[in-house]
Amino acid sequence: MLSWVVTFLIIALIAGILGFGGIAGASVEIAKIIFFIAVVLFLVSAVVGLARGRTRV
């Protein structure tokens, strides 16, 4: 999922350099949203992992 963030940031940088401000701004916003979704999913999975605990084999 973080690869999508990097992709949109690269698109934003290229669009910004070429002068496409609207596309650059939209790409940055999409990258931010995907990044925060990834962080939330990571935290949820960490909490679920801690709640389950480790089982002995």
Side-chain angles (χ1 to χ4, degrees):
M1 185 174 274
L2 290 178
S3 64
W4 284 98
V5 173
V6 173
T7 302
F8 279 108
L9 286 175
I10 290 172
I11 291 171
L13 287 173
I14 293 171
I17 289 171
L18 296 176
F20 299 107
I23 295 173
S27 295
V28 168
E29 292 301 319
I30 292 171
K32 284 182 190 177
I33 291 169
I34 294 174
F35 175 75
F36 286 119
I37 290 172
V39 169
V40 168
L41 289 175
F42 169 75
L43 292 175
V44 167
S45 66
V47 169
V48 168
L50 288 174
R52 278 185 162 179
R54 295 186 181 191
T55 58
R56 293 184 182 216
V57 177

